[in-house]
Amino acid sequence: MKEIKQIIHAYELACKKQQKAALATVVHVAGSSYRAPGARMLITEDGMLTGAISGGCLEGDALRKALMVMMQGKPLLTTYDTSDEEDAVIGVGLGCNGIIRVLIEPILPEDPVNPIILLQHTLEKRQAVVLVTFFSLHNKWSEQQGTRLLLKADGALLKADNIIPAAINDAKNIKESIFIEYRDNGQPVSAFYEYIPPPVSIIVAGAGNDVLPLVQIGEVLGWDITLVDGRPAYANSQRFPACRVIVSDPESALRELVIDDQTAVVLMTHNYNYDKALLKALIAMPVNYIGMLGPRKKLSRMLTEFEEEGTKVTEEQLSRVYSPVGLDIGAETAEEIALAVLAEIKAVFAGRSGVYLRSFTGKMHERKTEIIAGTS
């Protein structure tokens, strides 16, 4: 989501300067690549690049082709084979060993559903969306190509004209990113269905100095951050300008929080009773990650007290509690602890273990690349 926000901001600046712009989107990958389908980069006519479609090896050529797209006003599908050691454009021996297809489409301000407008709608609410981008493997200049359909979880639909009717119905059943090929007027056209969940939301209980680096790194990641604390001298917009700040007791704070399946909670108030009150309420909620700062005996004591008070914590509820919080990286300073905590949250939401990659025997990125046949 952070990259999308940056692209939208860059486009708004380009509009103020009355500059043309094009959007480059990775729409399909066969083999390995630095960025997955859905990676985007905005190119403006003065050569400014916002976002990224690779680790830096494709951007220069994409810029050159984007300028051509802006002049012609037509989308272009370009294919990069990073396994080709004879490719003088990309460079020799990059080691990515994949075929990357990038759609470059002009952004037309007069188009009411141009790609930037569709991207803006992905940010309106905390809800999942399906964004559909069409591309042609058989005609790289096909005008059928483009980001042209957005379906929100609440059923709201935005679409360009002449959308393949079957694509709208298929979008309603998408829960993960996939590729489908249709026939439109007898011509094959592929669709990249990109499932975009809302960004990770972190609720941090605590506003001490050790929370500052956690919030700062979370902001760099583009995650939504809410701060909860009972001390207005600590929890305020001067200390945490980019956060939503709630100053209240635990019970009142819980009534103001929005929790969904992309929400993580970190308890680090250094106030035993405050953390305990929040934990008791949160374990009964559908929170996928509850991290608590402090030694293992702190959690053990709370669980004992819960049982004495008549609250039984199930194994399933306990499985969502991470205490001591964070990955084992030898963290000592507040900055290192923040890194360990956020890395653990990322691993949990990605369904990964956080092991050394050199010890990992599977694929680092499990991506569906098969283009399945659809109806049209």
Side-chain angles (χ1 to χ4, degrees):
M1 283 296 188
K2 181 179 180 181
E3 188 170 69
I4 291 176
K5 291 178 182 178
Q6 292 173 330
I7 285 172
I8 292 171
H9 179 65
Y11 178 71
E12 290 171 347
L13 292 178
C15 287
K16 290 180 180 179
K17 298 177 182 178
Q18 297 185 324
Q19 293 179 340
K20 293 182 179 180
L23 184 68
T25 305
V26 178
V27 292
H28 190 260
V29 171
S32 61
S33 67
Y34 186 81
R35 297 296 307 271
R40 293 179 177 82
M41 180 174 71
L42 185 80
I43 305 105
T44 55
E45 63 178 290
D46 62 353
M48 290 295 294
L49 307 178
T50 303
I53 56 172
S54 74
C57 51
L58 308 182
E59 277 71 6
D61 185 68
L63 168 60
R64 179 179 62 83
K65 290 178 177 174
L67 295 174
M68 181 169 54
V69 164
M70 291 178 214
M71 290 179 58
Q72 299 196 13
K74 294 168 51 179
L76 166 67
L77 183 74
T78 183
T79 300
Y80 299 99
D81 187 349
T82 59
S83 63
D84 185 359
E85 295 189 354
E86 302 302 321
D87 193 325
V89 173
I90 301 175
V92 177
L94 289 174
C96 291
N97 198 29
I99 298 174
I100 305 161
R101 296 183 174 96
V102 178
L103 179 66
I104 305 174
E105 50 189 318
I107 308 300
L108 306 177
E110 65 274 14
D111 183 354
V113 286
N114 69 48
I116 298 298
I117 290 175
L118 294 181
L119 290 177
Q120 288 173 335
H121 279 275
T122 68
L123 305 177
E124 283 189 336
K125 295 181 181 179
R126 279 195 61 80
Q127 63 176 319
V129 301
V130 175
L131 188 62
V132 187
T133 301
F134 298 90
F135 60 98
S136 173
L137 299 176
H138 307 278
N139 178 6
K140 66 180 183 179
W141 283 106
S142 172
E143 295 194 43
Q144 295 173 307
Q145 302 178 123
T147 305
R148 300 169 62 193
L149 174 65
L150 176 75
L151 179 66
K152 301 181 183 181
D154 62 9
L157 177 70
L158 287 89
K159 65 182 182 68
D161 294 334
N162 301 320
I163 290 292
I164 298 170
I168 299 174
N169 292 327
D170 288 339
K172 297 176 182 178
N173 301 312
I174 299 299
K175 298 299 179 184
E176 60 180 344
S177 297
I178 65 168
F179 305 88
I180 299 178
E181 183 176 81
Y182 302 98
R183 298 195 74 82
D184 187 25
N185 295 322
Q187 299 298 315
V189 59
S190 299
F192 167 41
Y193 286 81
E194 182 182 5
Y195 179 79
I196 306 176
V200 173
S201 171
I202 305 178
I203 298 169
V204 184
N209 289 341
D210 58 343
V211 173
L212 288 166
L214 187 141
V215 168
Q216 291 164 354
I217 299 173
E219 290 169 358
V220 170
L221 294 171
W223 294 356
D224 293 340
I225 305 172
T226 300
L227 201 72
V228 177
D229 197 287
R231 304 165 295 174
Y234 288 83
N236 56 66
S237 58
Q238 286 72 39
R239 281 167 54 80
F240 299 96
C243 293
R244 179 192 178 201
V245 178
I246 300 174
V247 182
S248 75
D249 59 82
E251 292 76 15
S252 299
L254 286 165
R255 289 194 290 270
E256 294 191 47
L257 298 175
V258 176
I259 294 175
D260 55 33
D261 59 5
Q262 287 289 102
T263 301
V265 181
V266 184
L267 308 178
M268 48 193 306
T269 65
H270 301 281
N271 181 317
Y272 180 86
N273 291 324
Y274 200 104
D275 283 354
K276 177 188 171 184
L278 283 174
L279 179 62
K280 188 174 183 178
L282 289 165
I283 57 176
M285 298 180 181
V287 186
N288 290 329
Y289 179 98
I290 306 170
M292 185 164 65
L293 195 66
R296 189 171 281 106
K297 64 182 180 181
K298 177 181 176 181
L299 175 61
S300 179
R301 176 185 167 188
M302 287 184 181
L303 294 175
T304 299
E305 292 177 2
F306 290 163
E307 189 166 355
E308 292 172 349
E309 295 163 3
T311 299
K312 177 67 175 177
V313 179
T314 67
E315 289 298 321
E316 187 279 329
Q317 290 172 331
L318 191 57
S319 70
R320 296 184 277 112
V321 179
Y322 294 78
S323 181
V325 68
L327 296 182
D328 179 15
I329 62 171
E332 292 285 347
T333 66
E335 290 78 10
E336 292 169 348
I337 291 170
L339 179 63
V341 172
L342 294 174
E344 182 176 64
I345 292 172
K346 172 59 182 175
V348 169
F349 279 89
R352 307 303 280 263
S353 62
V355 301
Y356 297 136
L357 285 177
R358 69 177 183 181
S359 304
F360 189 63
T361 55
K363 291 184 178 180
M364 287 190 292
H365 302 289
E366 291 291 344
R367 298 168 180 163
K368 289 190 175 182
T369 60
E370 179 188 7
I371 302 177
I372 64 176
T375 59
S376 53

